[in-house]
Amino acid sequence: MFGWEFPPHILGGLGTASYGLTKGMWECGDMDITFVIPKPWGDEDRSFAKIIGASQVPVGWRDVSREYVESRIGNVMDPDEYFRLRDHIYADFNYMRLNDLGCIEFSGRYPDNLLEEINNYSICAGVIARTEEFDVIHSHDWLTYPAGIHAKQVTGKPMVIHVHATDFDRSRGNVNPTVFNIERDGMLHADHIITVSNLTRNTVIDKYGIDPAKVTTVHNAVTPLSEDLLNVNPPRCKEKVVTFLGRITMQKGPEYFVEAAAKVLRNNPHVRFVMAGSGDMMDKMIDLAAARGIADRFHFPGFQKGKQVYEMLKASDVYVMPSVSEPFGISPLEAMQMGVPSIISKQSGCAEILTNVIKTDYWDIDAMADAINAIVSYPAMHDQLKEDGLAEVNQITWDKAGRKVINIYNQVLHRN
């Protein structure tokens, strides 16, 4: 598997989904998974997958001792692995900026030179593909499609790509042609394509011109929470709290949340609104809340991670995801796990599988405001959504998604 994020160092839903699916597949048994990421930190859970960091893959020969390699990267990779990989360098990459181990440095994030990092990652994939033994290549999201294509060209092994989102989702239709071409190239080279929702499947078929027979939806799931997270005990506000939690970007529809909040507060001034996250629209949303005269009812606590997410949810009475185009959207499932009633946009993939939530069009701020008002005003409605939502989300497990992916592997390997 080629991925770009892996917990605990995640920047969005991609890392959470990659982790959940990989673990779910491993739980189905009879599977060895090697998960490649640009830059590991050493604190990843390696109990169900072998993790290789592209930043520890030599692409230039260096005459170094085992002790030296151990001192440099022993916290993230077995030194023997480094030497095994070094035996499979397939071209002279010394013209590139390489470090003392002959490796390319990666940020492990989404830097300004992202396209360069994607290309460098695919160079490392060539060494890994020549070294590792495997049956199937699985590439998560567009950043890793070139790596998957390279591994396929080297080995002739089948490639499955996993479309967690397309540029049509991220850009509200204002598509970046470079990204579009990388995405379409991945789709054309893939032996099979997995999408996280039918919404995304239709985009792949209609916008990228892909044969429907080649595209299968496998909905995301959610990882059962530890007792530690279920029992977090954050301070509770005396007033009702309504929360938005996610990237504050165009795709997530934050302005609709602010506008709905303004409508709620006209009738019910005793509600607080939280917009947790970071993103390029954050300053605009702070200005919009001020322009609507509701800044004193709005909180912007910034990016939340790990335990903070669950503390934030536990302290909430309603969770709202007003996404304009959401391929799936795991966060409402996380809110339901914490017993928080959720309102989601009909334009989200998770709306295809969730029933115990309220669904509105992202642009219908009247309907969104009415739904928020109803949940904060009627305890019986709140409790019903809480109980039914909890029962529903506990059935949506990653091993079920994993089994579907394994069936797709068997299909591309002609083992069915």
Side-chain angles (χ1 to χ4, degrees):
M1 279 194 179
F2 292 104
W4 206 258
E5 297 183 15
F6 200 83
H9 302 275
I10 58 172
L11 301 158
L14 176 62
T16 307
S18 299
Y19 175 90
L21 179 69
T22 308
K23 192 167 187 187
M25 289 168 62
W26 176 78
E27 285 167 357
C28 292
D30 194 27
M31 178 161 293
D32 292 317
I33 303 168
T34 298
F35 200 103
V36 183
I37 48 176
K39 181 180 180 176
W41 302 85
D43 54 356
E44 296 84 7
D45 179 356
R46 294 162 187 250
S47 61
F48 56 89
K50 172 180 165 183
I51 291 179
I52 293 180
S55 51
Q56 282 78 48
V57 173
V59 296
W61 178 274
R62 297 289 183 272
D63 187 8
V64 285
S65 69
R66 193 181 188 286
E67 291 71 27
Y68 185 68
V69 174
E70 173 94 60
S71 71
R72 286 280 283 105
I73 60 171
N75 64 320
V76 291
M77 183 192 267
D78 179 345
D80 293 340
E81 183 85 37
Y82 169 87
F83 291 108
R84 246 173 18 97
L85 290 160
R86 193 182 67 173
D87 290 341
H88 293 91
I89 297 170
Y90 57 92
D92 183 2
F93 293 105
N94 282 305
Y95 66 89
M96 299 179 70
R97 284 197 305 275
L98 305 181
N99 65 14
D100 53 339
L101 294 177
C103 303
I104 304 168
E105 302 278 358
F106 287 85
S107 68
R109 304 181 75 82
Y110 298 94
D112 291 340
N113 66 330
L114 184 58
L115 292 172
E116 184 187 341
E117 288 216 346
I118 290 168
N119 183 58
N120 290 348
Y121 185 76
S122 74
I123 290 171
C124 298
V127 175
I128 297 165
R130 287 168 169 85
T131 310
E132 293 292 307
E133 286 186 24
F134 54 90
D135 300 296
V136 181
I137 300 153
H138 189 143
S139 284
H140 289 280
D141 234 29
W142 70 281
L143 308 131
T144 74
Y145 297 167
I149 292 168
H150 190 173
K152 179 180 177 174
Q153 287 168 339
V154 167
T155 62
K157 298 286 170 68
M159 175 171 86
V160 173
I161 68 165
H162 209 122
V163 184
H164 294 266
T166 70
D167 209 48
F168 285 90
D169 303 302
R170 290 182 289 266
S171 66
R172 280 200 196 169
N174 185 22
V175 175
N176 176 327
T178 306
V179 176
F180 175 88
N181 287 331
I182 292 172
E183 290 177 329
R184 189 158 188 273
D185 202 33
M187 293 172 192
L188 293 173
H189 280 87
D191 294 85
H192 207 85
I193 299 167
I194 297 171
T195 57
V196 294
S197 61
N198 292 324
L199 186 84
T200 308
R201 181 175 184 269
N202 291 337
T203 302
V204 167
I205 294 163
D206 299 341
K207 306 283 193 191
Y208 295 82
I210 303 300
D211 176 2
K214 189 171 151 175
V215 195
T216 303
T217 295
V218 178
H219 288 104
N220 282 337
V222 70
T223 304
L225 295 179
S226 65
E227 289 297 313
D228 184 35
L229 291 176
L230 283 170
N231 297 319
V232 290
N233 196 15
R236 289 288 308 219
C237 175
K238 289 188 174 65
E239 297 173 298
K240 299 293 185 185
V241 176
V242 182
T243 300
F244 168 109
L245 181 74
R247 289 199 316 280
I248 306 176
T249 60
M250 189 165 64
Q251 181 192 348
K252 303 293 181 181
E255 69 271 38
Y256 300 103
F257 180 72
V258 178
E259 296 291 8
K263 284 187 176 289
V264 170
L265 289 165
R266 270 180 222 152
N267 304 315
N268 187 348
H270 302 296
V271 184
R272 291 194 174 274
F273 290 84
V274 176
M275 185 170 278
S278 57
D280 58 2
M281 285 179 71
M282 186 160 172
D283 290 344
K284 270 189 198 157
M285 293 305 101
I286 294 169
D287 292 345
L288 182 58
R292 294 290 175 267
I294 57 172
D296 60 325
R297 301 267 104 200
F298 243 88
H299 302 264
F300 291 89
F303 182 73
Q304 307 291 301
K305 63 180 182 193
K307 198 172 181 178
Q308 294 173 318
V309 169
Y310 298 99
E311 289 173 340
M312 178 73 61
L313 292 171
K314 189 75 173 272
S316 305
D317 297 280
V318 186
Y319 178 77
V320 183
M321 186 181 77
S323 297
V324 175
S325 179
E326 186 70 55
F328 185 77
I330 288 177
S331 57
L333 282 73
E334 293 173 330
M336 292 160 77
Q337 282 183 306
M338 298 302 287
V340 185
S342 292
I343 300 167
I344 64 176
S345 74
K346 291 176 183 175
Q347 290 72 25
S348 59
C350 62
E352 296 167 13
I353 62 164
L354 295 176
T355 51
N356 293 291
V357 294
I358 295 178
K359 302 171 193 178
T360 69
D361 288 303
Y362 71 86
W363 43 260
D364 194 344
I365 54 175
D366 291 320
M368 207 183 296
D370 288 346
I372 293 168
N373 251 327
I375 297 172
V376 298
S377 304
Y378 301 112
M381 182 181 183
H382 177 281
D383 293 348
Q384 189 79 50
L385 281 167
K386 173 180 176 173
E387 286 167 31
D388 293 349
L390 200 53
E392 179 176 27
V393 78
N394 286 339
Q395 298 302 310
I396 303 171
T397 56
W398 279 114
D399 59 312
K400 292 174 186 169
R403 178 62 59 204
K404 291 176 184 169
V405 173
I406 292 167
N407 289 340
I408 290 166
Y409 287 176
N410 285 328
Q411 190 182 321
V412 298
L413 290 165
H414 307 297
R415 290 181 182 171
N416 281 357

